[in-house]
Amino acid sequence: MMKRTVTALALGTAVVIFMMGCTVDRNNQPDNNGGIEVRIQEVPVDSWDGDESSLGAIVSDGVIVYTAAGSSSCPDLVESVTAGTDTVTLHIVDYPPNTACTMDYVPVRQEISRTDGKDFSSDIEVVIDHPRQP
């Protein structure tokens, strides 16, 4: 009886430690290259019909709106931004290869705004640097 209790306790502790390692600060303030500072904020997705043509990044009202879909435990979130003259690159979280991700398929949305109050130009090219996609 004691052996099962210890095994269950050890397994429970391992799960908690593993889950803690999978958390990501979804409202981080990364260091940025290119001379601008940005705020990355996750915003609710009111509804999504599964139409993948709505995924990606657009500039809307001076803010970059990034929408992705995937595992809720390993979401494709922007973790940093690099600004160039005519481009802004969104760098997506690179989870360790041994990370166990759930098989669900849910949307996430983030808004990237400049902290200096200036708008992103509507004609700027937004590049998505995703570590698991070519």
Side-chain angles (χ1 to χ4, degrees):
M1 185 75 131
M2 180 66 151
K3 184 176 182 180
R4 287 185 186 169
T5 303
V6 171
T7 302
L9 190 59
L11 179 59
T13 302
V15 168
V16 169
I17 291 170
F18 173 76
M19 292 306 288
M20 288 172 56
C22 291
T23 62
V24 175
D25 179 6
R26 296 181 184 220
N27 292 310
N28 58 354
Q29 301 279 332
D31 294 328
N32 299 291
N33 296 321
I36 66 167
E37 292 184 21
V38 298
R39 174 179 163 85
I40 302 171
Q41 179 178 3
E42 189 170 344
V43 295
V45 178
D46 296 328
S47 64
W48 186 60
D49 62 4
D51 180 11
E52 291 187 352
S53 67
S54 64
L55 303 179
I58 61 167
V59 178
S60 177
D61 295 326
V63 174
I64 298 172
V65 179
Y66 168 73
T67 306
S71 169
S72 63
S73 63
C74 302
D76 286 342
L77 295 174
V78 175
E79 72 175 344
S80 65
V81 175
T82 304
T85 306
D86 298 324
T87 63
V88 172
T89 303
L90 308 179
H91 303 280
I92 308 304
V93 173
D94 187 9
Y95 295 97
N98 60 346
T99 302
C101 300
T102 56
M103 294 293 290
D104 56 348
Y105 196 67
V106 296
V108 294
R109 182 167 293 142
Q110 292 174 290
E111 291 180 348
I112 297 96
S113 58
R114 294 178 60 144
T115 59
D116 62 8
K118 295 180 182 178
D119 290 344
F120 284 105
S121 170
S122 60
D123 61 348
I124 197 160
E125 179 185 7
V126 180
V127 176
I128 300 171
D129 175 28
H130 197 296
R132 295 178 308 279
Q133 295 174 356

